[in-house]
């Protein structure tokens, strides 16, 4: 039987890459649900090509316009709006596998719904773990969901670990996430005051959305990945490392107790981890180019530290600080960073002020005891209000 897929965030970079892989294997996959925020035209094109049973838009006005266009073109897809219909669809009998690629905390509710329903859950939404943490993992365990990481780094780690998760703490010495260093790896930190959004979004290796591109430039994407790795793989923060690898050929590594290292290599193309997640434990064609070792001039590595301090990427240390702080601190960090990046992209603050927004918010917001999704969303809202206040003082 074909896998029936729900692709959440289908008009984003992960969503479009997923559909590219799916289109290569029409005998294996059927698109049942597509979802997007407010971008009508690209979602309409996807609906016309893949003809899912349902399309869901977060924006009700956009959903109404899409529904009119779908009817006018005689397409069989039913268009819905909002979180509740999307949650019901991913949890329902018409979906086997969920690609969770909605950016930000907005994707948390649907991730929880899929986890509780025991779906095969391909996780490209960092916030499910960065914000949801134990709540999300409890839902995975209770529902019996199969959780497969899609971020290139976490997919690489998953591919490099032993099959039995129960053996990871005993057999694994540390996990090493690789980072390209982004577009400003070699720049003097003092010069980053003048960075424009266009420069920050010009990643040297990966084609990504604007938000994650800025996160790569500040290395906050790696901070979030450290937090995600902590919860995905169960190792304590002190056994998680990051090394700069500018070529993005090695996507991450696992060092074992005997100090042997297992690494996953590949071209910097998100279709590789997507195809692995879709077909696991099998492997299928992804459409990505193969590595040509004859043309690789070098693979180099650099420390994050300068004179014992992480001066180049001060935001990265916030990952370990947040993991050692009260539960919910990682959610505060994530919300602050989303607001800071949005303000930078809107040219309301400087690039170097994103870190200042994160620090100010962490200092101002103390997480309360968290009992459920409502508490998490309230904490997220409080952190965003604090971050916007900090941005207002800087603008």
């Amino acid at each position: 039987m074909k896998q029936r897929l729900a692709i959440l965030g289908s008009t984003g970079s992960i969503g479009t890459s997923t559909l590219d892989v799916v289109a290569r294997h029409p005998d294996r996959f059927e698109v049942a649900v597509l979802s997007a925020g407010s971008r009508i035209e690209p979602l309409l094109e996807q609906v016309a090509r893949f003809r899912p049973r349902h399309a869901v838009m977060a924006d009700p006005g956009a959903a109404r316009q899409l529904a009119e266009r779908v009817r006018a073109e005689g397409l069989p897809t039913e268009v819905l709006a909002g979180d509740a219909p999307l949650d019901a669809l991913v949890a329902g009998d018409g979906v086997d596998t969920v690609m969770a690629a909605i950016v930000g905390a907005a994707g948390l509710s649907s991730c929880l719904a899929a986890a509780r329903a025991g779906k095969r859950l391909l996780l490209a939404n960092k916030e499910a773990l960065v914000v949801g943490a134990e709540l999300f993992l409890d839902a995975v365990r209770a529902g019996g969901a199969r959780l497969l990481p899609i971020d290139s780094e976490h997919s690489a780690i998953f591919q490099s670990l032993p099959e039995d998760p129960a053996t990871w703490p005993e057999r694994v010495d540390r996990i090493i996430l690789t980072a390209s260093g982004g577009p400003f790896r070699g720049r003097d930190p003092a010069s980053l005051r003048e960075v424009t959004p266009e420069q920050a979004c010009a990643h040297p290796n990966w084609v990504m959305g604007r938000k994650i591109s800025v996160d790569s430039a500040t290395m906050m994407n790696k901070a979030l990945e450290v937090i995600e790795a902590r919860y995905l793989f169960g190792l304590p923060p002190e056994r998680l490392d990051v090394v700069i690898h500018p070529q993005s050929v090695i996507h991450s590594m696992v060092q074992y107790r005997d100090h042997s290292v297992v690494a996953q290599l590949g071209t910097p193309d998100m279709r590789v981890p997507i195809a692995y997640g879709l077909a696991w434990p099998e492997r299928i064609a992804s459409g990505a180019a193969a590595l040509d070792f004859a043309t690789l001039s070098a693979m180099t590595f650099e420390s994050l530290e300068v004179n014992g301090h992480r001066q180049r990427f001060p935001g990265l240390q916030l990952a370990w600080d947040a993991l050692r702080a009260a539960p919910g601190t990682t959610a505060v960090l994530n919300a602050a960073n989303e607001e800071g990046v949005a303000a930078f992209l809107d040219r309301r603050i400087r690039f170097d002020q994103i870190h200042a927004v994160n620090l100010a918010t962490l200092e101002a917001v103390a997480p309360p005891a968290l009992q459920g999704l409502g508490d998490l969303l309230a904490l997220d809202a409080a952190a965003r209000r604090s971050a916007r206040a900090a941005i207002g003082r800087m603008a």
Side-chain angles (χ1 to χ4, degrees):
M1 292 179 61
K2 293 183 181 181
Q3 279 191 59
R4 296 166 299 176
L5 306 178
I7 302 174
L8 315 186
S10 67
T11 61
S13 60
I14 297 295
T16 55
S17 293
T18 301
L19 288 170
D20 181 86
V21 175
V22 166
R24 297 170 188 276
H25 302 276
D27 58 322
R28 299 184 66 116
F29 306 112
E30 172 189 341
V31 178
V33 179
L34 294 173
S35 87
S38 59
R39 299 177 64 200
I40 298 169
E41 292 299 329
L43 186 55
L44 180 62
E45 292 176 8
Q46 292 173 351
V47 166
R49 181 178 182 187
F50 293 95
R51 296 178 174 256
R53 295 178 185 176
H54 297 93
V56 185
M57 302 203 78
D59 183 277
R64 286 192 294 272
Q65 294 181 53
L66 179 65
E68 292 173 1
R69 299 282 298 278
V70 165
R71 284 194 297 270
E73 297 192 18
L75 298 171
T77 301
E78 180 182 6
V79 179
L80 302 170
D83 289 343
L86 183 59
D87 292 356
L89 287 170
V90 301
D93 293 338
V95 168
D96 306 308
T97 299
V98 177
M99 170 60 78
I102 296 174
V103 175
L108 184 56
S109 179
S110 53
C111 282
L112 284 168
R116 291 177 181 134
K119 302 297 180 176
R120 183 186 180 105
L121 181 52
L122 312 186
L123 190 65
N125 173 284
K126 290 182 177 66
E127 290 74 19
L129 288 164
V130 174
V131 177
E134 290 301 331
L135 178 67
F136 176 66
L137 292 177
D138 285 346
V140 169
R141 287 188 287 265
R146 163 55 68 179
L147 185 59
L148 296 167
I150 297 301
D151 276 350
S152 61
E153 295 82 1
H154 300 99
S155 177
I157 293 163
F158 182 68
Q159 294 180 57
S160 302
L161 284 166
E163 287 188 9
D164 184 1
T167 69
W168 296 349
E170 178 183 344
R171 296 177 63 184
V172 173
D173 182 49
R174 62 182 179 142
I175 284 171
I176 307 166
L177 292 95
T178 56
S180 70
F184 309 133
R185 175 175 59 88
R187 283 184 57 160
D188 180 352
S191 71
L192 299 181
R193 290 173 56 94
E194 310 306 324
V195 163
T196 67
E198 292 75 20
Q199 290 170 327
C201 290
H203 195 280
N205 299 337
W206 296 92
V207 177
M208 304 181 293
R210 282 163 60 82
K211 193 269 181 183
I212 194 172
S213 295
V214 174
D215 281 347
S216 180
T218 63
M219 286 281 277
M220 273 305 301
N221 73 316
K222 208 56 53 177
L224 298 177
E225 287 168 13
V226 168
I227 294 167
E228 191 178 4
R230 163 72 182 92
Y231 293 113
L232 274 172
F233 306 116
L235 296 187
E238 59 270 18
R239 289 165 65 181
L240 305 175
D241 289 340
V242 175
V243 65
I244 294 176
H245 170 50
Q247 294 80 21
S248 296
V249 172
I250 295 176
H251 297 305
S252 277
M253 300 173 274
V254 174
Q255 179 174 297
Y256 285 83
R257 291 293 192 183
D258 61 0
H259 287 177
S260 63
V261 176
V262 176
Q264 188 266 339
L265 287 71
T267 52
D269 189 321
M270 283 305 300
R271 291 177 296 178
V272 174
I274 288 168
Y276 182 73
L278 284 169
W280 182 89
E282 301 177 51
R283 291 184 184 265
I284 59 174
S286 66
L291 273 180
D292 183 352
F293 287 94
T295 63
L296 288 178
S297 59
M299 287 195 293
T300 61
F301 304 89
E302 302 171 13
S303 172
L304 294 169
E305 298 185 351
V306 177
N307 299 323
H309 300 285
R310 293 180 178 174
Q311 298 169 335
R312 286 192 289 178
F313 306 105
L316 184 55
Q317 180 58 41
L318 296 179
W320 286 272
D321 295 343
L323 283 170
R324 294 182 177 119
T329 303
T330 57
V332 174
L333 174 60
N334 177 74
N337 185 64
E338 285 189 14
E339 293 293 331
V341 170
F344 166 68
L345 289 171
D346 289 344
R347 305 179 194 275
R348 290 181 284 130
I349 62 172
R350 300 190 311 268
F351 177 81
D352 61 317
Q353 289 178 314
I354 298 172
H355 180 57
V357 170
N358 293 340
L359 285 178
T361 307
L362 287 169
E363 291 173 359
V365 180
L370 302 172
Q371 300 299 323
L373 179 58
D375 293 337
L376 277 174
L377 295 178
L379 176 61
D380 179 81
R384 290 176 189 279
R385 287 194 296 271
S386 180
R388 288 194 289 267
I391 290 164
R393 295 192 293 271
M394 296 173 189

